Amino acid sequence: MAATDNESTYIRAIRLFNTNETDCSFETGKIPTRNKIDANYFFCQTGTGELEHIPHPAPRRQFVITLKGRLQFTVTNGDTFILEPGIILIAEDVNGPGHTWEVTDGNEWERIYIPIDSNSDTSFLADPS
């Protein structure tokens, strides 16, 4: 059965990426459901930790799946986006000062990290400009 281009066959996603060696930006889009992720492991994290409000790049290319929490991310030019359950974050801003984030509702952020190889395809489809 072929997938159709409707919201039921995709999951919303936001991709963080480097625009050059020092800046990062983001784009909104989607990834297909039933998409195989080429990963060897995953790990979970709770709480906000020490990186909230501190600029940092992603430590590796990774999917970040939010289970609980609502956050505002800020990229180097000051643009922001909201991340919450139901939106997959694809963190690929591995160079430069990176991004910041802060929890906007409550004080929890439960998430799963799925590291991906540098040559793996994320199947991300950007929204039309």
Side-chain angles (χ1 to χ4, degrees):
M1 181 175 188
T4 59
D5 190 21
N6 64 45
E7 292 306 311
S8 65
T9 59
Y10 295 92
I11 295 175
R12 290 176 49 206
I14 297 173
R15 184 175 80 95
L16 281 170
F17 63 95
N18 289 111
T19 57
N20 54 43
E21 291 185 19
T22 60
D23 297 319
C24 74
S25 190
F26 70 93
E27 60 186 343
T28 60
K30 58 192 176 183
I31 58 174
T33 60
R34 299 183 183 207
N35 189 42
K36 182 181 182 311
I37 297 171
D38 187 19
N40 294 319
Y41 69 99
F42 72 93
F43 60 97
C44 302
Q45 190 165 346
T46 61
T48 57
E50 59 196 44
L51 291 179
E52 186 173 12
H53 304 289
I54 298 173
H56 62 281
R60 70 194 71 76
R61 289 181 74 223
Q62 59 192 2
F63 287 94
V64 182
I65 293 90
T66 296
L67 303 173
K68 183 177 183 182
R70 186 172 193 271
L71 300 95
Q72 178 174 293
F73 277 71
T74 304
V75 295
T76 51
N77 72 356
D79 288 345
T80 64
F81 64 88
I82 298 295
L83 183 67
E84 57 193 356
I87 302 172
I88 305 297
L89 178 64
I90 304 169
E92 296 185 296
D93 62 326
V94 296
N95 297 313
H99 58 273
T100 62
W101 57 265
E102 68 177 302
V103 177
T104 60
D105 290 337
N107 59 1
E108 293 182 286
W109 183 21
E110 293 181 3
R111 62 230 184 249
I112 296 172
Y113 291 99
I114 304 173
I116 50 178
D117 293 333
S118 60
N119 58 351
S120 292
D121 181 12
T122 64
S123 299
F124 178 79
L125 302 168
D127 289 336
S129 300

